[in-house]
Amino acid sequence: HAKDRGRGQFQFFRSELDAHVRERVTLEADLRRALDENSFTLEFQPQVNAAGIIVAAEALLRWQHPQRGVLPPDCFIPIAEESGLIVPLGRWVLHSACRAAALWPAPQGVRVAVNISVEQLRDPRLVTDVASALAASGLDPHRLELEITESVLIDEPEAMLASLEALRALGIRVALDDFGTGYSSLSYLRRLPLDTLKLDGSFIADLERDTPDATITYSVIELAHRLGLEVIAERVETPGQRARLCEHQCDLLQGYLLSRPLSTQAFSARLAESRIS
Ligand code: C2E
Ligand code: CA
Ligand code: CA
Ligand code: CA
């Protein structure tokens, strides 16, 4: 009967939902434990200039889960954000990234870029956290860049702007990540105190054909330069994309073509070679 089938389906969805909730609760508990047990690591993905020289690296978080192996951030960052765990986790990332970067050969002055969630920016202690990560590591503030997304201005824009200004007063850099994916990107360029614009990887995929994405990419590079911002393209995967971006004066490139994210040791070894051809 249709009715029975309906009930069966309802029960099916319910058990699916239960499984989903259980999974979430388990992951959240695991995440709490992982923070105590130090089961996180960072990988560093090079950002190179047109000459192939490494200028900076983005710190990307990895979780060494005891049963599930290495988990990518998309599996647990949302849970960390919803549960508030992103604040202590983000503090760990900041400290670890600064400590690692402080050990990179100083004359090159290679920067480190750290992803910051809105929840962290909303936390009034963020400015103090950043200042203490810099002090504890001895890293020159100019070598730290925080990557934020447009979502920072969705609510409490005034408080967020005040936080960003306070951060910049420390001498660090601010990058706008995933640029072009939000709804009001241009107004963000006007309002946010920024040093770098990070063009979202989705624009790069089709660059080798004359698509609207290509037109937008080249126009955004020009616009950003006129505003005095540096431009990074992410998810650069092919030589053709690299050539197009360099032709249009994109400042920095990041993506598998240049390098996958590397362990701390592998990144230091790569820095010693310095140039990515
Ligand atoms: P994102 O900030 O946009 O970081 C770039 C992502 O693209 C990384 O994924 C990187 O591994 C991946 N990627 C790099 N090159 C290529 C490429 O050539 N092709 C493709 N298809 N992908 C490429 P990952 O490491 O899985 O990180 C995913 C997202 O998790 C990041 O996106 C960022 O939003 C977030 N995330 C990572 N680490 C942190 C962190 O420490 N704190 C916070 N709040 N978020 C983080
Ligand atoms: Ca990022
Ligand atoms: Ca991004
Ligand atoms: Ca992202």
Side-chain angles (χ1 to χ4, degrees):
H1 291 285
K3 198 174 145 203
D4 290 342
R5 218 165 36 234
R7 186 177 302 137
Q9 243 167 31
F10 174 70
Q11 241 136 33
F12 172 73
F13 284 133
R14 219 186 110 159
S15 63
E16 277 271 277
L17 192 67
D18 284 349
H20 183 78
V21 170
R22 266 200 309 276
E23 158 92 7
R24 234 213 78 127
V25 170
T26 314
L27 266 183
E28 189 180 321
D30 290 355
L31 211 49
R32 250 173 238 287
R33 193 166 331 112
L35 258 173
D36 292 334
E37 294 173 354
N38 235 317
S39 3
F40 295 99
T41 54
L42 291 179
E43 288 189 330
F44 297 93
Q45 188 174 34
Q47 299 177 340
V48 312
N49 65 17
I53 309 274
I54 300 176
V55 171
E58 180 176 8
L60 295 161
L61 188 58
R62 304 290 179 251
W63 178 10
Q64 204 82 46
H65 190 283
Q67 283 90 40
R68 303 177 202 213
V70 180
L71 294 181
D74 292 332
C75 296
F76 61 89
I77 294 277
I79 298 174
E81 287 174 339
E82 285 165 38
S83 60
L85 286 170
I86 193 68
V87 170
L89 183 54
R91 193 177 294 132
W92 180 87
V93 172
L94 265 169
H95 277 264
S96 308
C98 290
R99 205 181 314 121
L103 296 174
W104 299 339
Q108 283 165 269
V110 171
R111 301 193 300 248
V112 67
V114 172
N115 291 286
I116 297 288
S117 292
V118 198
E119 285 70 16
Q120 287 174 270
L121 209 55
R122 202 174 276 139
D123 178 34
R125 285 165 302 179
L126 180 65
V127 182
T128 328
D129 287 344
V130 171
S132 69
L134 290 169
S137 61
L139 186 73
D140 177 346
H142 296 105
R143 291 179 54 202
L144 175 63
E145 182 162 79
L146 300 185
E147 294 193 0
I148 60 167
T149 59
E150 297 176 356
S151 55
V152 299
L153 290 189
I154 287 175
D155 50 53
E156 306 172 66
E158 298 313 319
M160 297 293 178
L161 285 171
S163 268
L164 284 174
E165 293 291 2
L167 284 165
R168 260 175 125 227
L170 296 174
I172 65 160
R173 301 168 56 98
V174 176
L176 184 58
D177 201 357
D178 302 340
F179 182 79
T181 55
Y183 289 104
S184 46
S185 302
L186 291 181
S187 79
Y188 287 86
L189 287 189
R190 201 171 58 203
R191 299 180 64 191
L192 287 168
L194 296 172
D195 302 280
T196 305
L197 189 154
K198 203 163 177 185
L199 189 63
D200 190 66
S202 59
F203 289 99
I204 309 305
D206 251 356
L207 223 52
E208 286 167 84
R209 297 185 292 130
D210 285 321
T211 55
D213 284 355
T215 310
I216 291 169
T217 296
Y218 307 144
S219 309
V220 165
I221 294 172
E222 196 184 323
L223 172 70
H225 283 163
R226 287 190 184 203
L227 292 169
L229 304 176
E230 187 167 74
V231 185
I232 305 186
E234 62 180 353
R235 266 196 260 161
V236 180
E237 294 178 341
T238 69
Q241 291 165 352
R242 182 189 193 172
R244 290 285 186 110
L245 287 162
C246 290
E247 207 176 291
H248 288 86
Q249 274 74 51
C250 184
D251 303 288
L252 299 179
L253 310 175
Q254 178 181 350
Y256 296 161
L257 175 72
L258 302 136
S259 170
R260 295 243 162 199
L262 302 169
S263 70
T264 309
Q265 299 85 327
F267 181 72
S268 296
R270 188 64 73 89
L271 269 185
E273 302 161 20
S274 179
R275 178 198 275 252
I276 292 182
S277 51

